[in-house]
Coordinates of all heavy atoms in Angstrom, one line a residue:
Q1 N -68.6 25.0 21.3 CA -69.2 26.3 21.8 C -68.5 27.4 20.7 O -69.5 28.3 20.5 CB -68.6 26.5 23.2 CG -69.3 27.6 23.9 CD -68.8 27.7 25.3 OE1 -67.7 28.2 25.5 NE2 -69.7 27.3 26.2
S2 N -67.4 27.2 20.2 CA -66.9 28.2 19.3 C -67.2 27.9 17.9 O -66.6 28.6 16.9 CB -65.4 28.2 19.4 OG -65.0 28.4 20.8
D3 N -68.0 26.9 17.6 CA -68.4 26.5 16.3 C -67.1 26.1 15.4 O -67.2 26.6 14.1 CB -69.2 27.6 15.7 CG -70.1 27.1 14.5 OD1 -70.3 25.9 14.6 OD2 -70.5 27.9 13.7
I4 N -66.2 25.5 15.9 CA -65.1 25.1 15.2 C -65.2 23.6 14.8 O -65.2 22.8 15.7 CB -63.7 25.3 16.0 CG1 -63.5 26.9 16.2 CG2 -62.5 24.9 15.2 CD1 -62.3 27.2 17.2
P5 N -65.1 23.3 13.5 CA -65.4 21.9 13.2 C -64.2 21.1 13.6 O -63.1 21.4 13.5 CB -65.6 21.9 11.7 CG -64.8 23.1 11.2 CD -65.1 24.2 12.4
C6 N -64.5 19.9 14.3 CA -63.4 19.1 14.6 C -64.0 17.6 14.9 O -65.0 17.6 15.5 CB -62.8 19.5 16.0 SG -61.4 18.5 16.6
D7 N -63.4 16.6 14.3 CA -63.9 15.3 14.2 C -63.3 14.3 15.2 O -64.0 13.3 15.7 CB -63.8 14.7 12.8 CG -64.7 15.4 11.9 OD1 -66.0 15.0 11.7 OD2 -64.2 16.4 11.1
C8 N -62.1 14.6 15.6 CA -61.4 13.6 16.3 C -60.5 14.3 17.3 O -59.9 15.3 17.1 CB -60.5 12.8 15.4 SG -59.7 11.4 16.2
I9 N -60.6 13.9 18.6 CA -59.7 14.4 19.7 C -58.7 13.4 20.2 O -59.1 12.2 20.3 CB -60.6 15.0 20.8 CG1 -59.8 15.9 21.6 CG2 -61.2 13.9 21.7 CD1 -60.5 16.8 22.5
G10 N -57.5 13.7 20.4 CA -56.4 12.8 20.6 C -55.8 13.0 22.0 O -55.7 14.1 22.5
L11 N -55.2 11.9 22.6 CA -54.5 12.0 23.8 C -53.1 11.5 23.6 O -52.8 10.6 23.1 CB -55.3 11.1 24.8 CG -56.6 11.6 25.4 CD1 -57.3 10.4 26.3 CD2 -56.6 12.9 26.0
E12 N -52.2 12.3 24.3 CA -50.7 11.8 24.4 C -50.6 10.8 25.4 O -51.6 10.3 26.2 CB -50.0 13.1 24.8 CG -49.9 14.2 23.7 CD -48.8 13.8 22.5 OE1 -48.5 12.6 22.4 OE2 -48.6 14.7 21.8
P13 N -49.4 10.2 25.6 CA -49.2 9.1 26.5 C -49.5 9.2 27.9 O -49.5 8.4 28.8 CB -47.8 8.6 26.3 CG -47.4 9.2 24.9 CD -48.1 10.5 24.8
G14 N -49.9 10.6 28.4 CA -50.3 10.8 29.8 C -51.5 9.9 30.2 O -51.8 9.9 31.4
W15 N -52.3 9.5 29.2 CA -53.5 8.7 29.6 C -53.2 7.4 30.1 O -54.0 6.8 30.7 CB -54.4 8.6 28.3 CG -53.8 7.7 27.2 CD1 -53.1 8.0 26.2 CD2 -53.9 6.2 27.2 NE1 -52.7 6.9 25.5 CE2 -53.3 5.7 26.1 CE3 -54.5 5.2 28.1 CZ2 -53.2 4.4 25.7 CZ3 -54.5 3.9 27.7 CH2 -53.8 3.6 26.5
M16 N -52.0 7.0 30.1 CA -51.7 5.6 30.4 C -51.2 5.5 32.0 O -50.7 6.6 32.4 CB -50.4 5.0 29.7 CG -50.5 4.9 28.2 SD -49.0 4.4 27.5 CE -49.3 4.7 25.7
E17 N -51.6 4.5 32.6 CA -51.2 4.3 33.9 C -49.6 4.5 34.1 O -49.1 5.0 35.0 CB -51.6 3.0 34.5 CG -51.3 2.7 35.9 CD -51.9 1.3 36.4 OE1 -52.0 0.5 35.6 OE2 -52.4 1.4 37.6
K18 N -48.9 3.7 33.1 CA -47.5 3.8 33.1 C -47.1 4.7 31.9 O -47.4 4.3 30.8 CB -46.8 2.4 33.0 CG -45.3 2.5 32.8 CD -44.8 1.0 32.7 CE -43.3 1.1 32.3 NZ -42.7 -0.3 32.1
H19 N -46.4 5.8 32.1 CA -46.1 6.7 31.0 C -45.3 6.0 29.9 O -44.4 5.3 30.2 CB -45.3 7.9 31.6 CG -45.2 9.1 30.6 ND1 -44.0 9.3 30.0 CD2 -46.2 9.9 30.2 CE1 -44.3 10.4 29.2 NE2 -45.5 10.8 29.3
Y20 N -45.8 6.2 28.7 CA -45.1 5.5 27.5 C -45.1 3.8 27.9 O -44.0 3.3 27.6 CB -43.7 5.9 27.2 CG -43.9 7.1 26.2 CD1 -43.6 8.5 26.7 CD2 -44.1 6.9 24.9 CE1 -43.8 9.5 25.8 CE2 -44.2 8.0 24.0 CZ -44.1 9.2 24.4 OH -44.1 10.5 23.6
D21 N -46.1 3.3 28.2 CA -46.1 1.8 28.3 C -46.0 1.1 27.1 O -46.9 1.2 26.2 CB -47.5 1.5 29.1 CG -47.5 0.1 29.7 OD1 -46.7 -0.8 29.1 OD2 -48.5 -0.3 30.3
L22 N -45.0 0.3 26.9 CA -44.7 -0.3 25.6 C -45.3 -1.7 25.7 O -45.0 -2.4 24.7 CB -43.2 -0.3 25.4 CG -42.6 1.1 25.2 CD1 -41.1 0.9 25.1 CD2 -43.1 1.9 24.2
S23 N -45.9 -2.1 26.7 CA -46.5 -3.5 26.7 C -47.8 -3.5 25.9 O -48.3 -2.6 25.4 CB -46.8 -3.9 28.1 OG -47.9 -3.2 28.6
I24 N -48.3 -4.7 25.8 CA -49.6 -4.9 25.2 C -50.8 -4.9 26.2 O -51.9 -5.1 25.7 CB -49.6 -6.2 24.3 CG1 -49.4 -7.3 25.2 CG2 -48.6 -6.2 23.3 CD1 -49.8 -8.6 24.6
R25 N -50.6 -4.6 27.4 CA -51.6 -4.6 28.5 C -51.6 -3.2 29.0 O -51.1 -3.1 30.2 CB -51.4 -5.7 29.3 CG -51.5 -7.0 28.9 CD -51.5 -8.2 29.9 NE -51.8 -9.4 29.3 CZ -52.9 -9.9 29.0 NH1 -54.1 -9.2 29.2 NH2 -53.0 -11.2 28.4
K26 N -52.1 -2.2 28.3 CA -52.0 -0.8 28.9 C -53.3 -0.6 29.8 O -54.5 -1.0 29.4 CB -51.9 0.3 27.8 CG -50.7 -0.1 26.8 CD -50.8 1.0 25.7 CE -49.9 0.6 24.5 NZ -48.7 0.0 24.7
N27 N -53.1 0.2 30.8 CA -54.4 0.7 31.6 C -54.4 2.1 31.7 O -53.5 2.9 31.5 CB -54.1 0.1 33.1 CG -54.1 -1.3 33.2 OD1 -55.0 -2.0 32.6 ND2 -53.1 -1.9 33.9
W28 N -55.6 2.6 31.7 CA -56.0 4.0 31.9 C -55.4 4.5 33.2 O -55.3 3.7 34.3 CB -57.5 4.3 32.0 CG -58.1 4.1 30.6 CD1 -58.6 3.0 30.0 CD2 -58.1 5.1 29.6 NE1 -59.0 3.2 28.8 CE2 -58.7 4.6 28.4 CE3 -57.8 6.5 29.5 CZ2 -59.1 5.1 27.3 CZ3 -57.9 7.2 28.2 CH2 -58.6 6.6 27.2
H29 N -54.9 5.7 33.2 CA -54.4 6.4 34.4 C -55.5 6.5 35.5 O -56.5 7.0 35.2 CB -53.8 7.8 34.2 CG -53.0 8.3 35.2 ND1 -53.6 8.7 36.4 CD2 -51.7 8.6 35.4 CE1 -52.5 9.3 37.3 NE2 -51.3 9.2 36.6
P30 N -55.3 5.8 36.7 CA -56.4 5.7 37.6 C -57.0 7.0 38.3 O -58.1 7.0 38.6 CB -55.8 4.9 38.7 CG -54.3 5.2 38.6 CD -53.9 5.3 37.2
E31 N -56.1 8.0 38.2 CA -56.7 9.5 38.6 C -57.0 10.3 37.6 O -58.1 10.9 37.5 CB -55.6 10.2 39.6 CG -55.3 9.5 40.8 CD -54.3 8.3 40.9 OE1 -53.4 8.4 40.1 OE2 -54.6 7.4 41.6
K32 N -56.3 10.4 36.5 CA -56.4 11.3 35.5 C -57.6 10.9 34.5 O -58.4 11.7 34.1 CB -55.2 11.5 34.6 CG -54.1 12.2 35.4 CD -52.8 12.2 34.6 CE -52.8 13.0 33.4 NZ -51.5 13.1 32.5
F33 N -57.8 9.6 34.3 CA -58.9 9.1 33.6 C -59.5 7.9 34.3 O -59.5 6.7 34.0 CB -58.3 8.6 32.2 CG -57.8 9.7 31.3 CD1 -56.5 10.2 31.5 CD2 -58.6 10.3 30.5 CE1 -56.1 11.2 30.6 CE2 -58.3 11.4 29.7 CZ -56.8 11.7 29.7
Y34 N -60.3 8.2 35.3 CA -60.9 7.3 36.3 C -62.0 6.7 35.7 O -62.9 7.3 35.1 CB -61.2 8.1 37.5 CG -62.0 7.3 38.6 CD1 -61.4 6.2 39.2 CD2 -63.4 7.4 38.8 CE1 -62.2 5.4 40.1 CE2 -64.0 6.6 39.7 CZ -63.4 5.5 40.4 OH -64.1 4.8 41.2
I35 N -62.1 5.4 35.8 CA -63.2 4.6 35.3 C -63.6 3.6 36.5 O -62.8 2.8 36.9 CB -62.8 3.6 34.1 CG1 -62.4 4.5 32.8 CG2 -64.1 2.9 33.7 CD1 -61.9 3.8 31.7
P36 N -64.8 3.8 37.0 CA -65.1 3.0 38.2 C -65.0 1.5 38.0 O -65.2 1.0 36.9 CB -66.6 3.4 38.4 CG -66.8 4.6 37.7 CD -65.9 4.6 36.6
Y37 N -64.6 0.7 39.0 CA -64.4 -0.7 38.8 C -65.7 -1.5 38.3 O -65.5 -2.4 37.6 CB -63.9 -1.2 40.2 CG -65.1 -1.4 41.2 CD1 -65.9 -2.5 41.3 CD2 -65.3 -0.3 42.1 CE1 -66.9 -2.8 42.2 CE2 -66.4 -0.5 43.0 CZ -67.2 -1.6 43.1 OH -68.2 -1.6 44.0
W38 N -66.8 -0.9 38.8 CA -68.0 -1.7 38.4 C -68.5 -1.5 36.8 O -69.4 -2.1 36.4 CB -69.1 -1.2 39.3 CG -69.4 0.3 39.4 CD1 -68.7 1.1 40.2 CD2 -70.2 1.0 38.5 NE1 -69.2 2.3 39.9 CE2 -70.1 2.4 38.9 CE3 -71.1 0.8 37.4 CZ2 -70.7 3.4 38.4 CZ3 -71.8 1.8 36.8 CH2 -71.6 3.2 37.3
I39 N -67.8 -0.6 36.3 CA -68.2 -0.3 34.8 C -67.0 -0.7 33.8 O -67.3 -0.8 32.6 CB -68.2 1.2 34.6 CG1 -69.3 1.6 33.7 CG2 -67.0 2.0 34.2 CD1 -69.8 3.1 33.7
R40 N -65.9 -1.2 34.3 CA -64.8 -1.4 33.4 C -65.0 -2.5 32.4 O -64.5 -2.4 31.2 CB -63.5 -1.7 34.2 CG -63.0 -0.6 34.9 CD -61.9 -0.8 35.8 NE -61.6 0.2 36.7 CZ -60.9 0.2 37.9 NH1 -60.3 -1.0 38.2 NH2 -60.7 1.3 38.6
E41 N -65.7 -3.6 32.8 CA -66.0 -4.6 31.8 C -67.3 -4.6 31.2 O -67.7 -5.6 30.5 CB -65.8 -6.0 32.7 CG -64.4 -6.2 33.3 CD -63.4 -6.1 32.4 OE1 -63.3 -6.6 31.2 OE2 -62.3 -5.5 32.7
K42 N -68.0 -3.6 31.4 CA -69.4 -3.6 30.8 C -69.5 -2.4 29.9 O -69.7 -1.4 30.2 CB -70.4 -3.2 32.0 CG -70.5 -4.4 33.0 CD -71.3 -4.1 34.2 CE -71.4 -5.1 35.2 NZ -72.2 -4.8 36.4
V43 N -69.3 -2.8 28.5 CA -69.3 -1.9 27.5 C -70.5 -1.1 27.4 O -70.5 0.1 27.1 CB -69.0 -2.6 26.1 CG1 -69.2 -1.7 24.9 CG2 -67.7 -3.3 26.1
R44 N -71.7 -1.6 27.7 CA -72.9 -0.8 27.6 C -72.9 0.4 28.5 O -73.7 1.2 28.4 CB -74.1 -1.8 27.8 CG -74.2 -2.3 29.1 CD -75.5 -3.2 29.3 NE -75.7 -3.7 30.6 CZ -75.0 -4.7 31.2 NH1 -74.2 -5.4 30.4 NH2 -75.4 -5.1 32.4
H45 N -72.2 0.3 29.6 CA -72.1 1.4 30.6 C -71.1 2.5 30.3 O -71.0 3.4 31.0 CB -71.8 0.8 32.0 CG -73.0 0.1 32.5 ND1 -72.9 -0.8 33.6 CD2 -74.3 0.1 32.3 CE1 -74.1 -1.3 33.9 NE2 -74.9 -0.7 33.1
H46 N -70.3 2.4 29.2 CA -69.2 3.3 28.9 C -70.0 4.6 28.6 O -69.2 5.7 28.6 CB -68.4 2.8 27.7 CG -67.4 1.8 28.2 ND1 -66.4 1.4 27.4 CD2 -67.2 1.2 29.3 CE1 -65.7 0.5 28.0 NE2 -66.1 0.3 29.2
R47 N -71.2 4.7 28.3 CA -71.8 6.0 28.0 C -71.9 6.9 29.2 O -72.1 8.1 29.2 CB -73.3 5.8 27.5 CG -74.1 5.1 28.5 CD -75.6 4.7 27.9 NE -76.2 3.9 28.7 CZ -76.9 4.2 29.8 NH1 -77.0 5.6 29.9 NH2 -77.7 3.5 30.5

């Protein structure tokens, strides 16, 4: 809207279900970054 060029947007560790999850099986925070259960395994629906 402000016509400021930007190519990439990043998220700090608050996106994780467990803050600073150091495991290899990280999940999205269920409230802050909600993804419906019926869409999680269907890449074509990520749009």
Side-chain angles (χ1 to χ4, degrees):
Q1 198 175 70
S2 305
D3 201 26
I4 299 173
C6 186
D7 291 276
C8 189
I9 198 160
L11 293 173
E12 291 281 15
W15 68 267
M16 303 179 194
E17 183 177 37
K18 176 185 176 184
H19 194 249
Y20 273 104
D21 187 348
L22 300 181
S23 75
I24 60 171
R25 297 187 176 278
K26 309 181 198 317
N27 294 313
W28 288 93
H29 194 287
E31 286 85 37
K32 293 168 68 176
F33 293 89
Y34 175 68
I35 301 175
Y37 72 90
W38 52 270
I39 212 171
R40 289 173 194 164
E41 304 302 324
K42 299 177 181 179
V43 176
R44 67 182 184 277
H45 288 159
H46 281 188
R47 59 186 177 80

